[in-house]
Amino acid sequence: MSIAIAAAPQQVLQQYKQIRTQTEHICQPLEPEDTVVQPIVDVSPPKWHMAHTSWFFETFLLKPHLPGYKEFHPQYGYLFNSYYNSVGSRVQRDQRGTLTRPPLRDIYTFRQHIDEHMQKLLQSISDDKLAALMPVLQLGLQHEQQHQELLITDIKYILSTNPMLPTYSSQSSKQPVKAAKANYLEVPDGVYTIGYQGNDFCFDNELGVHEVLLEDFAVMNRLVTNGEYLEFIQDGGYQDFRHWLDEGLAMVRKDNLQAPLYWLEQEGEWHRFTMHGLQKVDMNEPVTHISFYEAYAYANWAGKRLLTEFEWEAASQVYPPATGNFVENNILEPTAADATKEGMQQLYGDAWEWTYSAYHPYPGFTKAPGAIGEYNGKFMLNQMVLRGGSCATPESHIRTTYRNFFHPDKRWQYNGIRLASK
Amino acid sequence: MSIAIAAAPQQVLQQYKQIRTQTEHICQPLEPEDTVVQPIVDVSPPKWHMAHTSWFFETFLLKPHLPGYKEFHPQYGYLFNSYYNSVGSRVQRDQRGTLTRPPLRDIYTFRQHIDEHMQKLLQSISDDKLAALMPVLQLGLQHEQQHQELLITDIKYILSTNPMLPTYSSQSSKQPVKAAKANYLEVPDGVYTIGYQGNDFCFDNELGVHEVLLEDFAVMNRLVTNGEYLEFIQDGGYQDFRHWLDEGLAMVRKDNLQAPLYWLEQEGEWHRFTMHGLQKVDMNEPVTHISFYEAYAYANWAGKRLLTEFEWEAASQVYPPATGNFVENNILEPTAADATKEGMQQLYGDAWEWTYSAYHPYPGFTKAPGAIGEYNGKFMLNQMVLRGGSCATPESHIRTTYRNFFHPDKRWQYNGIRLASK
Amino acid sequence: MSIAIAAAPQQVLQQYKQIRTQTEHICQPLEPEDTVVQPIVDVSPPKWHMAHTSWFFETFLLKPHLPGYKEFHPQYGYLFNSYYNSVGSRVQRDQRGTLTRPPLRDIYTFRQHIDEHMQKLLQSISDDKLAALMPVLQLGLQHEQQHQELLITDIKYILSTNPMLPTYSSQSSKQPVKAAKANYLEVPDGVYTIGYQGNDFCFDNELGVHEVLLEDFAVMNRLVTNGEYLEFIQDGGYQDFRHWLDEGLAMVRKDNLQAPLYWLEQEGEWHRFTMHGLQKVDMNEPVTHISFYEAYAYANWAGKRLLTEFEWEAASQVYPPATGNFVENNILEPTAADATKEGMQQLYGDAWEWTYSAYHPYPGFTKAPGAIGEYNGKFMLNQMVLRGGSCATPESHIRTTYRNFFHPDKRWQYNGIRLASK
Amino acid sequence: MSIAIAAAPQQVLQQYKQIRTQTEHICQPLEPEDTVVQPIVDVSPPKWHMAHTSWFFETFLLKPHLPGYKEFHPQYGYLFNSYYNSVGSRVQRDQRGTLTRPPLRDIYTFRQHIDEHMQKLLQSISDDKLAALMPVLQLGLQHEQQHQELLITDIKYILSTNPMLPTYSSQSSKQPVKAAKANYLEVPDGVYTIGYQGNDFCFDNELGVHEVLLEDFAVMNRLVTNGEYLEFIQDGGYQDFRHWLDEGLAMVRKDNLQAPLYWLEQEGEWHRFTMHGLQKVDMNEPVTHISFYEAYAYANWAGKRLLTEFEWEAASQVYPPATGNFVENNILEPTAADATKEGMQQLYGDAWEWTYSAYHPYPGFTKAPGAIGEYNGKFMLNQMVLRGGSCATPESHIRTTYRNFFHPDKRWQYNGIRLASK
């Protein structure tokens, strides 16, 4: 799953505290009532996320490695296991939204209990032992960061289903900005090395470093904007079968799709539900909350195509991502590409980029033994790879080799479009 | 819907306060988290019940009749209308469990707002005007009592789905009691008058007083007990197709039914989830939480039959119900029939009695004009009549002519069995 | 199930032959391909009907009563049992339409085999034995007549789903006839005796003769016409929630109902698919192929109501049905009420009349022992009673006490509307 | 879609006749009743296949290119279009099994009509014009061959659902043969050229010739046998979550899978339904009728993996396929690998080999303009590539570059397993 990383206990503890605190920071604006529900099966109750990430530390670190540790509650394992068959039975995923107990305040107590004991573990552990536990510990922290992003997208979805359209946080008034003009940057043909080669943490799905042979292509310098996507809508893009994959067209017709998720037409003008309430669609910002099907159809309509994940990774080698709009910005929505800058933008942050690559194992992929091995491998079918992180991703969590993955119909994540030509 | 009732404003106000306070009393033990969810479509979130009953007073009394009244919130009508097409669009019934906002404390504020203005209305109103409003006012109060019963059954269901099996309230230790022996009491043939003939409130579905001609029959002196029902289970009753209606058998097989709702076998012994936690099944208490299908199959197996609603009403005329185990007892579960008493027991309270009568209109039934007319009539198909009230029914709410109704597969209400012979 | 009937073997054999031949006569215009499919679960493949009715004679008469009889094929029992749990397992009802084998010609051979052996049985049997078997034999014949009606309605449905709109039979050109004017005939209050009191065959559901006390009412002299129903449509009847039962409205909205089954608007004019192809709707003919929900909504809209089954039977005693348009007419569609006649018309034939009575047992109803007891009793829930027979019913099959029953959403039978007032 | 192929009209006509006759040859053993049904949505009625392939020639060749040609029937376009949105509306795919008309004999007449006019077209056409039409003509013939394979698999499925387990054709008694021993053959690393480079027909999805860089690997010399697969079953393979992809496990549990499709345990012994009736499972024959999920789980259990489609194509370059068990053998089931032969076997024929490659476009893939462009591209998601053809594939239809594709849960095709190691 991950490679061992040398680090001083004190440093690790600080990292641990920072990440754990951030989870609670995200949930701070919520009412207890907000933390219970599961309006669609993809969305988990925030209460569940907060408990599940703690369960991970209890199960894989405290119980096996802190002498004398007693589990916080005998039923929390059953309640807050997500999908690890190795660890026993669990609440069915689609039943998470009926669990009103334990109440939110108990979950906070649970988190505090875990944090105190993790501190105890990290303060009492030898350097050797710490080195041995680092892979699992790092996995626990990365795992919590992944759930931080899910917390944001799930909270957004939960609030959006409410006819009162509640606001997650207020936003200082922003100046409309003109987006950088679109152009295409060349990536030469050649052999590119794919996968993680560093010495820090990575997921198992980034391993299996291997070479791929790519033909030359050109890649858009930024993400597709709402304004560009609106042209597709206004050109009848959702109605014209020629742009769509067959299963995408079926979804469009069944769900009567007309625009990205969260878009709402009011008196002839498009608005979108954001973390800061309902706003007019800003035409310079990247389009987001679209399915792979919509990304594909848009690219087809535009006479372009999506990148493969290998092309994306090659492009990120040729045009190394500088920085991006991550969760640390606290904007929680994509922002316009900077019109004053030349070259590649938005490879990192703003919106995950759908690639036309199925989420399959790299050559030589092997699962870790035991429960940890259930982390990634068993999901390697029917899902598409997304790259680059979003405005809800922690900057410390992302890498150019990072492979996110979702089913092609999923829209509730901050997903966007970057085009390739040739 | 109801007939006018003369009453002093002060008296009415007192009744209003008593009933409204009782709703909040029922919800008092709940966490905010408990009040949000809807684990099955039949169950509404407690928060919704509390708001919907208040919406009724706002919509049908305050807005039309209190000069200068302003609605509490412009969207509450959309959120808390249940099924009145006349009053406009509304949240779909199966979507109630995604509404995390308004939070519970806002609902309490809403209730307080309604109560203050209802007090204002009742204190400022002329006697004539009060007499004119009494039907709707009484309907509002009866409606709130109906939702009080639903609150109890819905809370029970919500808590039961939680693997932690939380307790609604603790119970002082009870002494096991032996139930009265079963026997059958004669009801002579003849013409019986059916329907409400008094001067107090009744629902429209009790009107259309008419005569029915009945053959003589005999009626069980109490409800069927858990012990008697267990014999049916142990005799393979759930497996033997001969006892069942065809659609009942289909339900048994599809849902793999083996016992009443809330029954749980642990180490060879039957337990049941109650408002006071998981308890061993008390063999002397009436069986409850069964569908019509199970009541029918049990009667068939026992070589008896269920009563029609007309027979039930005739029996209640021949053996007038004294009192019963109602919600005022605060036991919230059925109790054993008194072994020291002779004659008819449990016609009132403990458990609603499934009759083999479809919920159809009485001769001459007419709907009230306007929204109030949607109260009962449009549900008069595919549902079965239940009689007598339960341990969750307010005593002041029930009458011998009262017609409750549910689809034959419903098990989450306190429903039980009384047999007829001949 | 039925009462014993004295009859000479020769007479019985002739009746047997007449009824069996009629089944094949109905199927004569079909292609083998037509006899296989099951476009909706309600519709059974014609091949299946032909075999199932033969299976009945084999199972309940030949195997137990004809010495030395060997079953035609060991698997036909599994294939052609409909719903008799007592007789063993069977093909699931919704899987009948995948059974391509045995081919139609084998079914004809099967029928011939049964007929030869039934002839043998009837020719060799003693009068005493015949008398003992008469109830089951009569049941087999009545059962086959019921399936003859289903054959016609199922064939109609099968042909109607085909975009080529094939014709079952051609029709000599008919003269448009003006329907009799609607008026209402009085039925006095009093005690009426309900149920079958004769000495011929009847179903068990007609037994339990009992008295009912009825208030006086008035009954329409004929069925509601297409023209009258069209007024309801044109008045927005399908859109106005006030006319509908709640579950009816849900069906209208879910299935987007706008008119009776088989109605099709072409260039501004209503047509309907008939056994003789697509025809313009004849405004003088009775409306048919409607659900109970539509019958109820129409009656509500018209300011009238439907009859109960007891009122219908009382009306048929006060105004004894003369004759009607039955399957023997070979018209296979309802015809206009005779404008030259006074008094009651169409109580028999043309279209089954939905009553507002649930299909429940009469007092004292008992099921026959064994498999025959599964004939009627287990369906006594959630279905509504229809009375009087239709243009697809054999005249020799119907009685004033005959109780047909279907779920309230069913439209593929020849069902119509008669109104009551008061 | 395809590249032009020079050929003499006479030669083409002969090829046309051969292929068209073969379709009818496949359907010859069927009853008319067999040709109507659609037991699952994947399976189309044989009657439909016969008409649809003819519709293709009518739509894309006769109507545009044969002067004066009149379509056979104005509604056949609506009835027998499969999925070409460009060509207009059509019968919904899941409704094909309700179309009893036109009867089978009309379809034969339709085929004859098409054949006569195709002959007329081919005999009257100039060489230039023929060259221009060759791509579409070849596509029509290849298309018909694809439907020939579907006809066989669909007929097998239709017969298998019948409790009488009818036989498609009898089989001369076969001698049990021992399969070749399994071993692994090396494929060196390097750059391989993928895609069709010849001058004959190929599908558009084989174009976009490109190079891929492969690491070295080893490939099994034959397909996995029933005997080997049985070890997986007997080792609890279907119950052990560790072997499965998450969605595969969900399918196994939902459908209670225990063995390949068509396997049936009778008195402790495994049988399988074949085109020649129910037979004992031959342990030396290749396992078939399995989903991708099962292939994946088997490989996992065996400590191996599946090949990618690029590895498969590279292997076929290193070990060129000689011949195989194709439909021309008329065995219609896979046969054992020859124990007397060394080296690679069964790359062609017997069973399609699931690869761990999603069915995506090759670099530079472009759709043909118009309706023909809907042939392949719009299905390029959520499906897995299979290679090599099966015992139901025409030998003249297959190539090493041929890409078949199905959703990973599909089992009714002749799909099998070849393993890779390293």
Side-chain angles (χ1 to χ4, degrees), chain B residues 67-339:
Chain B
Y69 178 77
K70 278 196 185 122
E71 60 186 359
F72 180 72
H73 191 290
Q75 284 184 288
Y76 278 25
Y78 181 76
L79 292 171
F80 301 122
N81 178 0
S82 55
Y83 55 69
Y84 298 85
N85 290 297
S86 313
V87 186
S89 64
R90 60 187 179 276
V91 170
Q92 285 305 299
R93 186 179 176 192
D94 60 0
Q95 296 301 311
R96 290 177 188 163
T98 69
L99 297 176
T100 67
R101 310 285 179 94
L104 182 59
R105 65 169 179 280
D106 287 10
I107 303 299
Y108 274 108
T109 310
F110 177 39
R111 289 184 68 85
Q112 201 178 335
H113 173 90
I114 297 299
D115 290 348
E116 286 165 9
H117 287 83
M118 281 298 294
Q119 178 157 356
K120 209 162 146 188
L121 174 67
L122 287 171
Q123 285 173 342
S124 62
I125 203 171
S126 70
D127 281 12
D128 276 10
K129 180 87 189 201
L130 179 61
L133 295 189
M134 272 306 276
V136 176
L137 179 52
Q138 278 300 329
L139 182 61
L141 293 173
Q142 300 281 333
H143 172 255
E144 182 128 2
Q145 287 187 312
Q146 292 182 313
H147 280 276
Q148 287 169 4
E149 177 151 3
L150 289 171
L151 265 168
I152 292 169
T153 55
D154 291 1
I155 290 167
K156 185 171 183 177
Y157 194 92
I158 287 168
L159 298 180
S160 79
T161 64
N162 196 304
M164 306 182 80
L165 297 178
T167 298
Y168 172 77
S169 66
S170 62
Q171 192 180 36
S172 51
S173 71
K174 54 172 183 171
Q175 296 299 338
V177 183
K178 211 163 163 47
K181 273 186 65 175
N183 57 55
Y184 285 81
L185 308 174
E186 295 293 325
V187 178
D189 61 4
V191 172
Y192 290 86
T193 302
I194 300 297
Y196 186 72
Q197 303 180 79
N199 294 313
D200 292 325
F201 176 86
C202 78
F203 285 107
D204 56 358
N205 60 27
E206 301 166 64
L207 295 177
V209 174
H210 64 290
E211 299 191 322
V212 299
L213 193 56
L214 295 179
E215 302 182 10
D216 69 299
F217 64 100
V219 55
M220 204 175 180
N221 63 322
R222 59 157 170 76
L223 294 170
V224 169
T225 63
N226 286 321
E228 288 161 348
Y229 196 83
L230 184 58
E231 287 178 54
F232 166 68
I233 296 175
Q234 290 173 339
D235 193 38
Y238 278 89
Q239 287 74 49
D240 190 339
F241 67 84
R242 293 173 306 166
H243 309 317
W244 295 84
L245 287 164
D246 195 56
E247 298 185 7
L249 189 64
M251 175 183 170
V252 163
R253 290 182 175 167
K254 181 169 165 294
D255 298 346
N256 191 24
L257 301 189
Q258 319 247 19
L261 181 64
Y262 300 138
W263 283 40
L264 185 66
E265 204 168 12
Q266 282 191 338
E267 299 169 18
E269 200 158 11
W270 282 108
H271 295 68
R272 51 189 291 273
F273 180 77
T274 73
M275 293 298 266
H276 321 295
L278 198 67
Q279 300 183 341
K280 280 189 199 171
V281 171
D282 184 327
M283 295 304 159
N284 285 285
E285 292 174 355
V287 68
T288 188
H289 295 302
I290 52 161
S291 62
F292 175 86
Y293 296 121
E294 290 161 294
Y296 173 93
Y298 175 82
N300 239 349
W301 169 84
K304 307 290 181 187
R305 62 177 181 83
L306 302 176
L307 288 79
T308 65
E309 66 166 321
F310 306 115
E311 289 174 331
W312 192 95
E313 196 162 327
S316 83
Q317 291 172 18
V318 176
Y319 302 98
T323 179
N325 171 25
F326 290 108
V327 75
E328 286 81 356
N329 279 5
N330 219 12
I331 300 177
L332 303 180
E333 297 290 345
T335 52
D338 190 336

Side-chain angles (χ1 to χ4, degrees), chain C residues 49-68:
Chain C
H49 284 297
M50 295 180 81
H52 165 67
T53 47
S54 306
W55 166 87
F56 191 100
F57 289 108
E58 182 173 71
T59 303
F60 296 116
L61 284 165
L62 294 178
K63 283 167 73 174
H65 300 297
L66 181 62

Side-chain angles (χ1 to χ4, degrees), chain B residues 352-366:
Chain B
W352 289 98
E353 304 178 17
W354 282 113
T355 71
Y356 203 151
S357 289
Y359 177 56
H360 287 178
Y362 285 170
F365 172 77
T366 47

Side-chain angles (χ1 to χ4, degrees), chain D residues 252-288:
Chain D
V252 163
R253 289 183 175 166
K254 181 168 164 294
D255 297 345
N256 192 24
L257 301 189
Q258 319 247 19
L261 182 63
Y262 299 139
W263 283 39
L264 185 66
E265 205 169 11
Q266 283 190 337
E267 298 169 18
E269 201 159 9
W270 282 107
H271 294 69
R272 49 189 292 273
F273 180 76
T274 74
M275 293 298 266
H276 322 295
L278 198 68
Q279 299 183 341
K280 279 189 199 172
V281 170
D282 184 327
M283 296 304 158
N284 286 285
E285 292 174 354
V287 68
T288 189

Side-chain angles (χ1 to χ4, degrees), chain C residues 31 33-34 100-101 104, chain D residues 31 33-34 100-101 104-105:
Chain C
E31 302 286 346
E33 291 89 337
D34 295 328
T100 67
R101 309 284 179 96
L104 181 59
Chain D
E31 303 285 347
E33 290 89 338
D34 295 327
T100 67
R101 310 284 179 96
L104 181 58
R105 67 171 179 279

Side-chain angles (χ1 to χ4, degrees), chain C residues 117-164:
Chain C
H117 287 83
M118 281 298 295
Q119 177 156 357
K120 209 162 145 187
L121 174 66
L122 287 172
Q123 286 174 341
S124 63
I125 203 170
S126 71
D127 282 12
D128 275 10
K129 180 87 189 202
L130 178 62
L133 295 189
M134 273 305 275
V136 176
L137 180 51
Q138 279 300 329
L139 183 59
L141 293 172
Q142 300 281 333
H143 172 255
E144 182 128 2
Q145 287 187 312
Q146 292 182 312
H147 280 276
Q148 286 169 4
E149 177 151 4
L150 289 171
L151 266 168
I152 292 169
T153 57
D154 292 1
I155 290 168
K156 184 170 184 177
Y157 194 92
I158 287 168
L159 297 180
S160 79
T161 65
N162 196 304
M164 306 180 81

Side-chain angles (χ1 to χ4, degrees), chain D residues 221-246:
Chain D
N221 62 322
R222 59 157 171 75
L223 295 170
V224 169
T225 63
N226 286 322
E228 288 161 348
Y229 196 84
L230 184 59
E231 288 177 52
F232 167 69
I233 297 175
Q234 290 173 339
D235 194 38
Y238 278 90
Q239 286 74 49
D240 190 339
F241 67 84
R242 292 173 306 165
H243 309 317
W244 295 84
L245 288 164
D246 194 56

Side-chain angles (χ1 to χ4, degrees), chain D residues 62-119:
Chain D
L62 295 178
K63 284 167 72 175
H65 300 296
L66 181 62
Y69 178 77
K70 278 199 183 121
E71 61 185 359
F72 181 72
H73 192 288
Q75 284 185 287
Y76 278 24
Y78 180 77
L79 292 171
F80 300 123
N81 178 359
S82 55
Y83 55 69
Y84 298 85
N85 290 297
S86 312
V87 187
S89 63
R90 59 186 179 278
V91 170
Q92 285 305 299
R93 186 178 178 194
D94 59 0
Q95 296 300 312
R96 290 177 188 163
T98 69
L99 297 176
T100 67
R101 310 284 179 96
L104 181 58
R105 67 171 179 279
D106 287 10
I107 303 299
Y108 274 107
T109 310
F110 177 38
R111 288 185 67 86
Q112 202 179 335
H113 173 91
I114 296 299
D115 290 349
E116 285 166 10
H117 287 84
M118 280 298 295
Q119 178 157 355

